[in-house]
Amino acid sequence: MSDTRRRVKVYTLNEDRQWDDRGTGHVSSTYVERLKGMSLLVRAESDGSLLLESKINPNTAYQKQQDTLIVWSEAENYDLALSFQEKAGCDEIWEKICQVQGKDPSVEVTQDLIESEEEHIEEMPETSPLIDLPTCELNKLEEIADLVTSVLSSPIRREKLALALENEGYIKKLLQLFQVCENLENTEGLHHLYEIIRGILFLNKATLFEVMFSDECIMDVVGCLEYDPSLAQPKRHREFLTKTAKFKEVIPITDSELRQKIHQTYRVQYIQDIILPTPSVFEENFLSTLTSFIFFNKVEIVSMLQEDEKFLSEVFAQLTDEATDDDKRCELVNFFKEFCAFSQTLQPQNRDAFFKTLAKLGILPALEIVMGMDDLQVRSAATDIFSYLVEFSPSMVREFVMQEAQQSDDDILLINVVIEQMICDTDPELGGAVQLMGLLRTLIDPENMLATANKTEKSEFLNFFYNHCMHVLTAPLLANTSEDKCGKDAVVGSTKSNTICPDNYQTAQLLALILELLTFCVEHHTYHIKNYIMNKDLLRRVLVLMNSKHTFLALCALRFMRRIIGLKDEFYNRYITKGNLFEPVINALLDNGTRYNLLNSAVIELFEFIRVEDIKSLIAHIVENFYNALESIEYVQTFKGLKTKYEQEKDRQNQKLNSVPSILRSNRFRRDARALEEDEEMWFNEDEEEEGEAVVPPVEKSKQEDDFPDSYEKFMETKKAKESEDKENLPKRTSAGGFKFTFSHSASAANGANGANSKSVAAQTSPASSNGSSSKNATLTTAVTATKGSLVGLVDYPDDEDDDEEEETSPRKRPRLGS
């Protein structure tokens, strides 16, 4: 047994029936010669002194409670308890106790004492009561209070006292004394009655609750519980229940039994939640039957209401009626909220029938109406009802919204109403928006979508969502990162351009929620989200937020990119390198300076992942474009590791090239690069107008540059057809001696590409040349910087191996490392 499993607190019950902490130590079970038997020993963890030495007697009743407590009595008025830090430790000691007593460890109370007492009871005369109750008189109240509180630690004595109270009708007699004491203003007697009634509640007997919570007795029970001796003045619970708390009938309830059950449940719930003090760790089980009493009352209420279809139909009719006034509608919505909360007590089969009844009556169209109302309280209650429905059956909600889409405009679709409520949440902490975001995530989670032989819910719903809803979800993100709001030198959160991302915390919180949902989509949706990101150039727009003054928002943007890179999808990788999308990340890292914070760690983890996973295309892009700016970061070896990986791959490529006859090398190599670029042009030039409808074609892996044909004959068959085209596509040498490279362009890039940024590290990150001219350097800057309206293209490299000067000065003049 480990130390944490051995760790226990030792408690003893004092004369006031309160548990005293005797210290913390480590327990063991061992044979003690002096006690002549197996014993429980607890030694203090502070100094090793003996806190407890107790022989495990065969006739002692041990009780296991709440998985981590063992309670027993060593003498009539000496009760002990061990509270374990871990369940495993409690189980092990419990097994030792049961082993000594010859009991099954699955029992929670060893029965030796109960059996011996039952034998003793059988020998007593039949007329002898189990417990002699004092006569119910004013001068006996202190004695009665002592008796009730003394039995609480013993399960056997609690049973006997409960039986005696039930048989003699004792509770009603006590409540009559309460009225006498209150009339006489007998404070001492009222304090004793508080202890007595509280103790009877802790007996945990349903038969006693039936008496105490009847219409005849419950208000007197509440009255007794007002006189807590620890309070200077009694509480006024009865006044609240009879005058302040009002029972509202949204539709008149004609069933008197149902009305009585609703009143009783509310009052008993009030006793449990408000009047009774929070039970201690040893008293929690004492009120389990009270919890069950409330539970079954709620089940009965829901069942009775559900069976009354006339009542529910009337409620729905008024809820959706335009003539219904706002106050009445608020009451109706709150009724349904409470109704759905009560339904959580039903068994799964009954709960299924309950929600199907609500769906049949039109709960979802009704919610669509009330969720769009101006009243904040109504919207909040409607959101709670919607959460119950989504939690119960996401498929039911999805089916409704897809059917609705065939008949309604996008603006009034239920999911779009939910998204708009999330976006327009007025709470500074966006509490409602967080709840709605969780519901949306449940609805778009493929894990809870059904797939049958004739129907695939995942495909149908995701097509619907991306066609009809995604533009509503991303609208705030695109609006706050739009090009027309972003000045040439605009920085998110700066004083130069407050419109791009307002400094207010609430907007930043909203954008963070949207990014969290989009990140979830990247992880769980495949071609749908990929198609959307490519068409909208979404990652570029998201990375604008790396400049936000709110670090948590910058981290959300970085997390979105990290999830994309984590997929190791070459489509995404080429999209990132073409768009030069590492630039804002590296800018953020450099701007962060020497501060060692979460942003610093998250950026470094991103590059470390690329290094460890050996994502060749990204490694080549990072080293070729940004290494000079990053090589000074030496407190981690990540960037040096990227350079090492890059050089190793470059050497491997050169070795493979050298192993191929020179007559084959250049033409072969250029053909593969060009074929790859053609694929990319087809992808990025897709019509953006079809943004939601386009479906990403199956991704075919592009050939690596080192992927040569297996035979010379196969190569020669294609070489002749390509030879003339190859010559036309060679990079043209400029007057400066460098090469002029052509960049890929797309409509999507024009939407979201960053302009020339004053913070750009492109120029400063190009590897410096020892002997290059200024004109060559200008060419290099063009080769690595994303200009406005374009994405950086992949480059065909010349095959002139003899031009050593050009090899040294041009960082782009080297074989590309994979696609």
Side-chain angles (χ1 to χ4, degrees):
M1 193 190 298
S2 66
D3 283 345
T4 56
R5 289 169 63 188
R6 291 174 181 268
R7 197 165 184 265
V8 295
K9 279 185 175 292
V10 180
Y11 292 90
T12 57
L13 199 64
N14 61 27
E15 293 180 355
D16 297 327
R17 313 305 297 170
Q18 300 295 320
W19 289 98
D20 294 331
D21 185 352
R22 295 300 184 187
T24 303
H26 294 87
V27 65
S28 62
S29 58
T30 185
Y31 184 85
V32 177
E33 180 65 32
R34 181 174 57 82
L35 300 177
K36 304 295 183 183
M38 291 295 293
S39 303
L40 298 176
L41 302 180
V42 180
R43 294 193 177 276
E45 64 179 0
S46 57
D47 57 8
S49 60
L50 196 63
L51 295 178
L52 174 70
E53 184 182 61
S54 174
K55 180 180 178 181
I56 304 174
N57 289 309
N59 297 324
T60 297
Y62 291 85
Q63 184 178 11
K64 183 182 177 187
Q65 300 177 5
Q66 306 165 46
D67 294 332
T68 57
L69 281 173
I70 297 177
V71 183
W72 72 99
S73 300
E74 294 226 326
E76 187 170 343
N77 291 315
Y78 188 64
D79 296 333
L80 290 161
L82 296 179
S83 177
F84 289 77
Q85 181 171 326
E86 294 186 9
K87 177 180 181 297
C90 183
D91 290 343
E92 188 163 339
I93 294 300
W94 184 251
E95 287 178 8
K96 295 287 186 183
I97 293 170
C98 292
Q99 183 179 350
V100 171
Q101 295 196 345
K103 298 295 178 183
D104 185 345
S106 64
V107 301
E108 293 189 352
V109 180
T110 56
Q111 299 298 313
D112 298 80
L113 182 57
I114 296 175
E115 291 169 2
S116 64
E117 287 201 4
E118 283 178 351
E119 291 171 4
H120 175 69
I121 291 167
E122 288 173 3
E123 295 171 2
M124 297 171 67
E126 291 184 5
T127 57
S128 175
L130 297 178
I131 281 187
D132 286 328
L133 291 171
T135 55
C136 199
E137 299 173 357
L138 287 177
N139 58 357
K140 296 286 187 180
L141 286 177
E142 183 176 1
E143 184 181 345
I144 299 169
D146 291 341
L147 172 64
V148 172
T149 54
S150 68
V151 304
L152 294 180
S153 61
S154 170
I156 307 153
R157 299 180 70 198
R158 287 206 306 267
E159 290 281 346
K160 294 195 294 185
L161 177 60
L163 188 58
L165 290 170
E166 184 182 350
N167 290 342
E168 298 184 17
Y170 207 78
I171 293 175
K172 289 185 178 181
K173 297 177 184 178
L174 288 170
L175 296 178
Q176 289 172 0
L177 284 182
F178 164 71
Q179 294 175 0
V180 172
C181 287
E182 197 166 41
N183 290 334
L184 296 175
E185 298 183 356
N186 183 346
T187 304
E188 184 180 358
L190 291 170
H191 287 168
H192 289 317
L193 282 165
Y194 169 87
E195 298 290 350
I196 293 168
I197 295 300
R198 180 176 177 273
I200 293 175
L201 287 172
F202 281 168
L203 292 179
N204 211 22
K205 284 296 170 184
T207 51
L208 300 181
F209 291 162
E210 291 289 349
V211 176
M212 299 174 75
F213 301 147
S214 64
D215 286 346
E216 180 186 356
C217 299
I218 190 165
M219 296 310 291
D220 286 335
V221 169
V222 172
C224 291
L225 295 173
E226 290 178 352
Y227 292 93
D228 185 346
S230 62
L231 300 176
Q233 294 293 329
K235 295 288 187 178
R236 295 184 177 181
H237 297 302
R238 285 172 294 175
E239 182 179 334
F240 175 83
L241 289 172
T242 56
K243 296 180 180 179
T244 307
K246 299 295 183 183
F247 177 57
K248 294 182 179 180
E249 295 181 75
V250 290
I251 302 292
I253 296 175
T254 55
D255 189 335
S256 59
E257 183 184 353
L258 175 59
R259 288 170 59 90
Q260 186 274 333
K261 190 67 68 176
I262 292 172
H263 285 303
Q264 183 188 59
T265 305
Y266 175 77
R267 290 164 179 168
V268 176
Q269 187 88 60
Y270 183 86
I271 290 172
Q272 184 185 47
D273 295 343
I274 306 299
I275 300 179
L276 290 177
T278 304
S280 70
V281 68
F282 300 104
E283 295 172 337
E284 285 180 2
N285 283 348
F286 290 172
L287 294 174
S288 59
T289 304
L290 182 61
T291 303
S292 299
F293 184 91
I294 296 170
F295 174 88
F296 288 115
N297 264 19
K298 290 180 177 180
V299 170
E300 198 170 343
I301 291 169
V302 172
S303 300
M304 294 170 75
L305 284 173
Q306 188 180 344
E307 290 167 4
D308 191 346
E309 290 192 8
K310 183 179 178 181
F311 175 83
L312 289 180
S313 298
E314 180 64 21
V315 173
F316 273 105
Q318 291 198 23
L319 185 62
T320 55
D321 187 353
E322 293 182 2
T324 303
D325 63 68
D326 291 346
D327 291 340
K328 181 70 171 179
R329 200 186 306 275
C330 183
E331 291 177 2
L332 290 164
V333 173
N334 283 326
F335 164 77
F336 268 115
K337 175 185 173 182
E338 193 77 7
F339 195 23
C340 290
F342 276 26
S343 73
Q344 302 306 296
T345 62
L346 298 174
Q347 294 297 320
Q349 184 177 358
N350 295 334
R351 190 160 64 247
D352 183 64
F354 168 79
F355 281 110
K356 284 181 178 177
T357 300
L358 292 187
K360 180 181 176 182
L361 290 168
I363 184 68
L364 286 169
L367 282 179
E368 194 169 45
I369 294 172
V370 296
M371 288 187 77
M373 295 178 62
D374 295 332
D375 191 305
L376 181 60
Q377 188 179 359
V378 170
R379 291 206 312 267
S380 176
T383 299
D384 289 336
I385 297 170
F386 185 63
S387 70
Y388 286 121
L389 294 170
V390 171
E391 181 182 348
F392 164 70
S393 177
S395 293
M396 180 180 75
V397 179
R398 286 191 286 260
E399 184 178 358
F400 168 77
V401 296
M402 283 191 289
Q403 291 175 353
E404 182 188 31
Q406 300 170 8
Q407 307 165 0
S408 306
D409 295 333
D410 285 0
D411 291 343
I412 60 173
L413 294 177
L414 177 59
I415 289 191
N416 284 345
V417 171
V418 170
I419 294 173
E420 287 164 7
Q421 292 303 318
M422 181 182 87
I423 292 171
C424 300
D425 188 7
T426 56
D427 179 7
E429 296 295 328
L430 295 185
V434 172
Q435 182 184 11
L436 290 169
M437 190 274 291
L439 298 177
L440 285 172
R441 183 162 57 184
T442 301
L443 289 173
I444 64 175
D445 186 355
E447 294 296 323
N448 60 45
M449 294 184 186
L450 305 175
T452 61
N454 301 322
K455 178 182 176 182
T456 305
E457 184 184 14
K458 175 180 176 181
S459 175
E460 289 185 4
F461 181 76
L462 290 182
N463 282 335
F464 157 81
F465 182 77
Y466 280 86
N467 286 337
H468 298 279
C469 307
M470 183 58 98
H471 67 281
V472 182
L473 177 65
T474 57
L477 176 64
L478 297 177
N480 282 282
T481 57
S482 61
E483 190 171 329
D484 60 339
K485 285 190 178 182
C486 184
K488 184 175 181 181
D489 297 323
V491 176
V492 174
S494 74
T495 57
K496 294 183 181 179
S497 180
N498 287 332
T499 55
I500 181 173
C501 182
D503 287 346
N504 71 78
Y505 176 76
Q506 189 170 352
T507 301
Q509 281 278 72
L510 175 62
L511 295 178
L513 285 178
I514 294 171
L515 281 176
E516 185 178 341
L517 206 55
L518 291 174
T519 304
F520 178 85
C521 293
V522 168
E523 289 182 287
H524 294 87
H525 304 164
T526 51
Y527 59 87
H528 293 89
I529 188 64
K530 184 190 298 182
N531 183 37
Y532 195 83
I533 289 173
M534 300 292 187
N535 278 331
K536 290 291 186 182
D537 198 13
L538 188 63
L539 180 56
R540 181 185 304 281
R541 304 289 283 272
V542 167
L543 289 176
V544 170
L545 302 175
M546 288 295 298
N547 295 321
S548 172
K549 77 168 191 177
H550 300 284
T551 305
F552 71 87
L553 183 56
L555 288 168
C556 287
L558 183 63
R559 189 182 305 119
F560 180 71
M561 185 179 190
R562 172 66 176 81
R563 290 294 183 274
I564 290 175
I565 291 175
L567 297 176
K568 296 187 284 187
D569 185 319
E570 279 303 314
F571 265 109
Y572 277 132
N573 293 345
R574 289 197 296 276
Y575 164 65
I576 290 169
T577 55
K578 269 179 172 278
N580 198 30
L581 297 182
F582 277 110
E583 182 177 316
V585 177
I586 292 172
N587 281 337
L589 177 64
L590 298 177
D591 289 346
N592 192 59
T594 58
R595 291 189 292 274
Y596 179 58
N597 52 21
L598 189 55
L599 180 62
N600 174 276
S601 298
V603 174
I604 289 175
E605 190 278 334
L606 171 68
F607 290 109
E608 181 67 15
F609 174 82
I610 294 169
R611 184 192 69 81
V612 171
E613 296 297 324
D614 197 16
I615 305 176
K616 294 180 176 58
S617 57
L618 298 185
I619 291 175
H621 176 74
I622 294 164
V623 173
E624 290 173 2
N625 296 330
F626 304 110
Y627 185 70
N628 277 8
L630 298 171
E631 65 179 340
S632 62
I633 299 177
E634 296 182 342
Y635 52 86
V636 291
Q637 298 302 306
T638 297
F639 302 108
K640 288 186 178 179
L642 287 171
K643 182 71 178 296
T644 302
K645 290 265 188 184
Y646 171 78
E647 291 174 344
Q648 289 172 349
E649 180 64 16
K650 182 180 175 184
D651 291 343
R652 191 171 72 86
Q653 296 284 355
N654 287 336
Q655 290 174 7
K656 289 202 173 186
L657 283 173
N658 291 334
S659 68
V660 177
S662 60
I663 192 173
L664 310 180
R665 190 179 306 142
S666 57
N667 285 336
R668 247 333 265 185
F669 188 55
R670 279 197 303 276
R671 189 203 68 173
D672 282 349
R674 188 167 50 259
L676 174 61
E677 194 158 321
E678 288 171 0
D679 289 343
E680 291 163 347
E681 288 298 325
M682 289 175 63
W683 172 263
F684 282 101
N685 287 326
E686 283 184 357
D687 187 1
E688 189 177 0
E689 294 301 319
E690 301 176 2
E691 56 192 47
E693 299 175 3
V695 177
V696 176
V699 179
E700 294 181 4
K701 291 187 177 179
S702 302
K703 294 181 181 180
Q704 301 292 333
E705 281 93 358
D706 60 339
D707 191 12
F708 293 93
D710 296 332
S711 65
Y712 175 79
E713 291 78 13
K714 185 176 179 181
F715 170 75
M716 292 303 294
E717 288 175 5
T718 57
K719 176 179 182 294
K720 292 179 180 179
K722 294 284 184 179
E723 196 165 305
S724 59
E725 183 183 349
D726 290 341
K727 291 178 181 178
E728 293 175 2
N729 283 293
L730 283 172
K732 304 301 188 291
R733 190 180 298 272
T734 65
S735 59
F739 291 92
K740 182 178 181 180
F741 301 127
T742 303
F743 298 91
S744 297
H745 297 265
S746 73
S748 62
N751 276 342
N754 285 340
N757 193 325
S758 62
K759 293 174 59 179
S760 172
V761 298
Q764 58 184 307
T765 56
S766 299
S769 159
S770 59
N771 56 357
S773 66
S774 61
S775 61
K776 292 175 184 175
N777 286 338
T779 304
L780 297 179
T781 302
T782 304
V784 298
T785 305
T787 58
K788 187 171 183 178
S790 69
L791 297 174
V792 175
L794 297 180
V795 180
D796 279 334
Y797 296 99
D799 56 347
D800 187 356
E801 298 175 353
D802 299 325
D803 192 346
D804 295 336
E805 181 180 349
E806 291 300 318
E807 284 284 358
E808 292 177 2
T809 58
S810 175
R812 283 291 193 176
K813 187 171 173 292
R814 55 169 66 89
R816 290 183 291 112
L817 300 181
S819 52

